[in-house]
Amino acid sequence: MEAGAPDDPAGLVDHYFRHAYARLVATLARRFGLGALARVEDAVQEALLTALTAWSLRGIPRDPGAWLYQVAFNTLRDQSRRDGAWRRSAERLAHDDVEAPTEPSLRGELHDDELRMLFVCCDDRLPAPSQLALALKVLCGFSVREVALRLLTTEENVYKRLTRAREALREHDLDLDVVPDLDARLPAVHAVLYLLFNEGYCAASGDSLVRHELCREALRLGHMLLTHEGCDTPPGRALVALFHLQCARLSTRVDAAGELLTLAEQDRAGWDREEILLGLRWLEASASGAVFSRYHAEAAIAAEHALAPSFAETRWGEIAALYALLDRTAPSPLNALNRAVALAEAHGPQAGLNSLEGVRLPPGIAGYYLWDAVVGDLLRRAGSFAQARDCLSRALAGAPTEAERALLRRRLTSLPDAAPG
Amino acid sequence: MQKYLFLYRTPTSDSPAAPPSPEQMQAMMAAWGAWKAQFKDQVTDLGDGLKPGGRVLLAGVVTDGAFIESKEVIGGYSIITAGGYDEAVTVAKACPINHMPGARIEIRELAGL
């Protein structure tokens, strides 16, 4: 990071404090142990608050990362000296030259500690709901309130998830110094990043800009993964390709009134060409090796959409085939649903409906609103208005966000009143 | 004209006040620049920020981090020139540190004997 001139504190790059927080927490947690994670987070928070006043008055130091590190490190070292229960840290620190930290600059290209922290957050010994909350807190630097806002839950719930995460860290004595078995653990890391991205992408809630940050963070962490030799795998590249390609469409997914736009309604001129190019480049780079992951299939589908000059000119046959391929790597009834949509565009709504015959939703997601929404739309287009009305009404009742409900209401009002069966 | 010491008292991480978000911190740093420009005639010495920790001597006995239990620490100071407390308060009121939850400014006139 280029520090601003002393009189220009605003010259700090965007999100400096957020990312500095993540790096400092990861570096110091490695040094003081994950058992001290809460203390580390407090010390880093305090260092940032100290910086806020000091830098505002005196200007930004030449190496802001080193300055912050030193301040937080000293706080933790003083605490550990006072607190005998902190044996482990004390032992560790005894071997280090505490007066001169060996990590002078935290702007480094090698985000090794953050990467280790990412693996810890994705450890399956942590309860699944806690993984995402912990990643958002310590890797993305969101406060409890901000995490709650982004995961559409309460602060109390986030607090509980974080507490359970910290308990699991202690219970299983997880350690940032233990290098994880990368091959075995990468799929879990990919899955969490994928989840993180979709939290920001799928549910367009009232404040979509806030949630888009989740997409950006997933992309940042995905790239961080790829900078590490052992983590630079074809599925990881495909995942990053998928993120870029989806990010290209982020700003066109809602209209001026905040209503969700369908793919057909989106202004393709507004798609970010640079993101599309990056996505295509990473997709190409992901093609080496024998592994074909679900991320390859999904990125290929996203690429088809990104390259189509218009909705009508989309290669729907290709997309239907890719969904069939996706279903083989990651089986889900939703793949059949998406394939039906593509087939409907290629060969008419009835072809789509026919392809769904015999596909059954597992009990867990029966009544999943998306299923009703899509089938309802296909029925509407096939002229089966009464059935369409039933389906769309069910979808409306189950839709989780206002933007999605608005879209369904528009569909419902477009149905003719005297509906033939 | 008199000189006034501004002591910026900021919450520690133990404080119940919710810390500002990174975005708010970023915005506050920009606001400080505007404040300094607006009151450049009054701000005699911008002063400095203070790092956490420190040493306290009591009857010759040295302790470190003695104020670790407290909910706030002195986070920095400045020296302001003003015609009286009213003017000093005007300057303090505009200071962006007021936007930090739990932060206080203590204003003291220098004796200047």
Side-chain angles (χ1 to χ4, degrees), chain A residues 9-10 12-13 15-18 42 45-46 48-50 52-58 67 71 75 82 141 146, chain B residues 8 10 12-13 19-23 25-26 28-30 32 36 46-52 68 75 77-78 100:
Chain A
L12 279 180
V13 290
H15 297 318
Y16 176 75
F17 282 103
R18 182 184 304 301
D42 282 349
Q45 185 67 45
E46 189 168 80
L48 289 170
L49 286 173
T50 304
L52 180 59
T53 310
W55 299 1
S56 294
L57 291 168
R58 299 295 290 191
W67 193 97
V71 169
T75 301
R82 272 197 309 276
E146 291 175 306
Chain B
Y8 306 111
T10 51
T12 65
S13 52
S21 73
E23 268 70 28
M25 289 174 61
Q26 201 102 17
M28 259 192 264
M29 285 206 65
W32 274 95
K36 283 185 268 183
L46 266 172
D48 205 339
L50 302 174
K51 292 181 178 180
I68 205 75
Y77 70 94
S78 300
M100 187 193 289

Side-chain angles (χ1 to χ4, degrees), chain A residues 301-335:
Chain A
I301 291 164
E304 283 292 341
H305 286 305
L307 289 172
S310 69
F311 187 79
E313 292 166 275
T314 306
R315 302 199 298 173
W316 292 108
E318 292 290 326
I319 289 178
L322 284 165
Y323 272 114
L325 208 54
L326 173 60
D327 203 49
R328 285 210 281 280
T329 56
S332 158
L334 293 180
N335 296 331

Side-chain angles (χ1 to χ4, degrees), chain A residues 248-269:
Chain A
R249 298 205 294 266
L250 272 184
S251 63
T252 63
R253 289 175 76 240
V254 285
D255 65 12
E259 296 214 354
L260 204 58
L261 296 175
T262 64
L263 193 56
E265 294 168 323
Q266 289 175 25
D267 174 16
R268 282 168 195 250

Side-chain angles (χ1 to χ4, degrees), chain A residues 35 125 127 164-174:
Chain A
R125 285 168 289 183
R164 281 188 204 117
R166 293 198 185 99
E167 281 167 5
L169 292 178
R170 272 194 296 273
E171 186 187 334
H172 300 289
D173 201 19
L174 290 177

Side-chain angles (χ1 to χ4, degrees), chain B residues 4 11 23 36 38-40 58 68 72 79 83 93 103 110:
Chain B
Y4 295 87
E23 268 70 28
K36 283 185 268 183
Q38 188 186 349
F39 296 103
K40 62 179 188 304
L58 181 62
I68 205 75
E72 60 172 33
I79 296 187
K93 271 186 176 166
L110 300 194

